[in-house]
Amino acid sequence: MAMYSFFDEYDFSGKTIVPFCTHNGSRFSGTIQTIQELEPDATVIEDGFTVNERDVGDAQEDVLTWLEDLNLEFNAE
């Protein structure tokens, strides 16, 4: 429900959404498709980053590699 409320409140039209999460085995479980449905005028990166909750402490290098591979320009507006 929190995700639905968040996307109801904010308009991401013309923005790029970069999904990432921790999980306990379910990964995104359809979340990326849900975001695409909720924000049809946004670009949703389909290659989001997930890490199992047991591996978070060792994920720094994986996160950095993923961010570099995205090759996105970020604008802090």
Side-chain angles (χ1 to χ4, degrees):
M1 293 306 291
M3 184 175 78
Y4 292 101
S5 297
F6 179 78
F7 286 112
D8 276 346
E9 186 168 338
Y10 298 98
D11 179 14
F12 288 90
S13 297
K15 304 291 185 184
T16 300
I17 300 171
V18 183
F20 60 94
C21 72
T22 60
H23 65 86
N24 189 18
S26 62
R27 301 177 136 322
F28 280 112
S29 187
T31 301
I32 291 176
Q33 291 80 12
T34 300
I35 294 170
Q36 290 170 324
E37 291 170 8
L38 295 172
E39 294 295 336
D41 296 323
T43 300
V44 181
I45 300 298
E46 294 185 14
D47 186 23
F49 183 80
T50 63
V51 61
N52 188 288
E53 65 184 5
R54 293 177 306 233
D55 301 323
V56 169
D58 298 323
Q60 180 175 349
E61 194 61 38
D62 292 335
V63 171
L64 293 173
T65 299
W66 171 69
L67 289 171
E68 288 174 4
D69 289 347
L70 286 175
N71 196 30
L72 296 173
E73 288 187 31
F74 292 96
N75 184 355
E77 285 184 33

